[in-house]
Amino acid sequence: MDFNTAVQFHGHVCPGLSIGYRVATLAANHFKDRSKDEELVAIVENRSCAVDAIQAINGCTCGKGNLIFKDHGKHVYTYFKRGDNKALRISLKPDALPTDEKHTELFAKLRAGTASPEEAKEFRASHDAKSQRILEMPEEELFWVREVETEPPEKAIIYPTLVCSKCGEGFMEPMGRVKNGKIVCIPCFEAKDE
């Protein structure tokens, strides 16, 4: 799997995708294969573009139950094979990517829709250059990589479907709640009664 595989999955080139690609290839080289089912597991600690590269390159996905998301806001990725309590923990070094005020300023303008065509072009060039730099950096400058012990989670479980007594939609049994004596889904449980 090459970088274009990740780009096609994600939709564009960006620094986050480049970070994820480097993480994913590091893990692929360590474990020597791509997950066909749920034998290789990735625990990701952020919801950045990097996670798309991990799905595309390593075959770790929410649907298969071998992509576990923890919303810690950290570029930290832990991989392991089921049946083995030794894991590979990869974390982006905090000083690996220096802050670029101009890039940040242009990104804010682009997001707000106030960037001129010239500023949009400048941002894209800067974004592409930053992405390329990440792809070319030596691994030891970019990441801390270490082996850690971990307790593997259970394999994905397929639960029975229940029907919400309020909205009529199906949901997984362990996600049900009781409201006014009736089984409901979480959104209906949290909704203010009318």
Side-chain angles (χ1 to χ4, degrees):
M1 300 274 180
D2 64 7
F3 186 57
N4 286 331
T5 301
V7 173
Q8 287 177 345
F9 180 82
H10 183 62
H12 63 265
V13 173
C14 65
L17 189 69
S18 294
I19 291 167
Y21 178 74
R22 292 294 304 274
V23 167
T25 56
L26 221 161
N29 289 336
H30 181 82
F31 291 103
K32 305 293 182 224
D33 61 8
R34 182 176 193 277
S35 193
K36 291 178 180 62
D37 191 15
E38 51 181 293
E39 61 279 1
L40 178 64
V41 178
I43 301 170
V44 301
E45 298 189 31
N46 67 76
R47 65 169 102 209
S48 73
C49 301
V51 178
D52 281 355
I54 289 163
Q55 292 181 91
I57 302 302
N58 301 124
C60 297
T61 67
C62 288
K64 288 193 291 190
N66 64 339
L67 178 70
I68 298 166
F69 170 66
K70 296 184 177 185
D71 197 5
H72 297 163
K74 297 167 61 171
H75 272 292
V76 176
Y77 311 87
T78 305
Y79 287 83
F80 61 90
K81 288 273 190 136
R82 290 204 186 270
D84 187 357
N85 65 348
K86 295 252 189 268
L88 186 69
R89 184 174 174 89
I90 305 164
S91 54
L92 181 68
K93 289 183 175 181
D95 60 351
L97 305 171
T99 303
D100 179 344
E101 297 297 332
K102 181 68 173 174
H103 183 84
T104 304
E105 178 188 315
L106 289 170
F107 188 55
K109 282 185 166 186
L110 204 62
R111 289 286 252 215
T114 60
S116 69
E118 294 79 24
E119 288 173 323
K121 186 177 178 182
E122 182 182 354
F123 171 78
R124 187 77 251 154
S126 172
H127 215 53
D128 289 348
K130 194 172 185 178
S131 301
Q132 191 60 42
R133 181 168 173 262
I134 292 165
L135 292 174
E136 294 170 355
M137 285 177 74
E139 174 187 311
E140 59 278 1
E141 288 180 24
L142 200 54
F143 300 116
W144 284 315
V145 180
R146 60 192 164 108
E147 209 171 81
V148 296
E149 298 264 334
T150 188
E151 190 64 37
E154 294 179 11
K155 284 189 166 190
I157 299 171
I158 299 173
Y159 294 100
T161 299
L162 299 180
V163 176
C164 177
S165 62
K166 183 158 179 140
C167 70
E169 295 175 349
F171 60 90
M172 288 191 296
E173 182 181 52
M175 304 307 285
R177 303 291 184 267
V178 177
K179 186 173 187 177
N180 300 325
K182 296 182 179 177
I183 301 290
V184 296
C185 65
I186 291 173
C188 289
F189 179 77
E190 293 175 347
K192 292 181 181 176
D193 288 330
E194 298 167 2

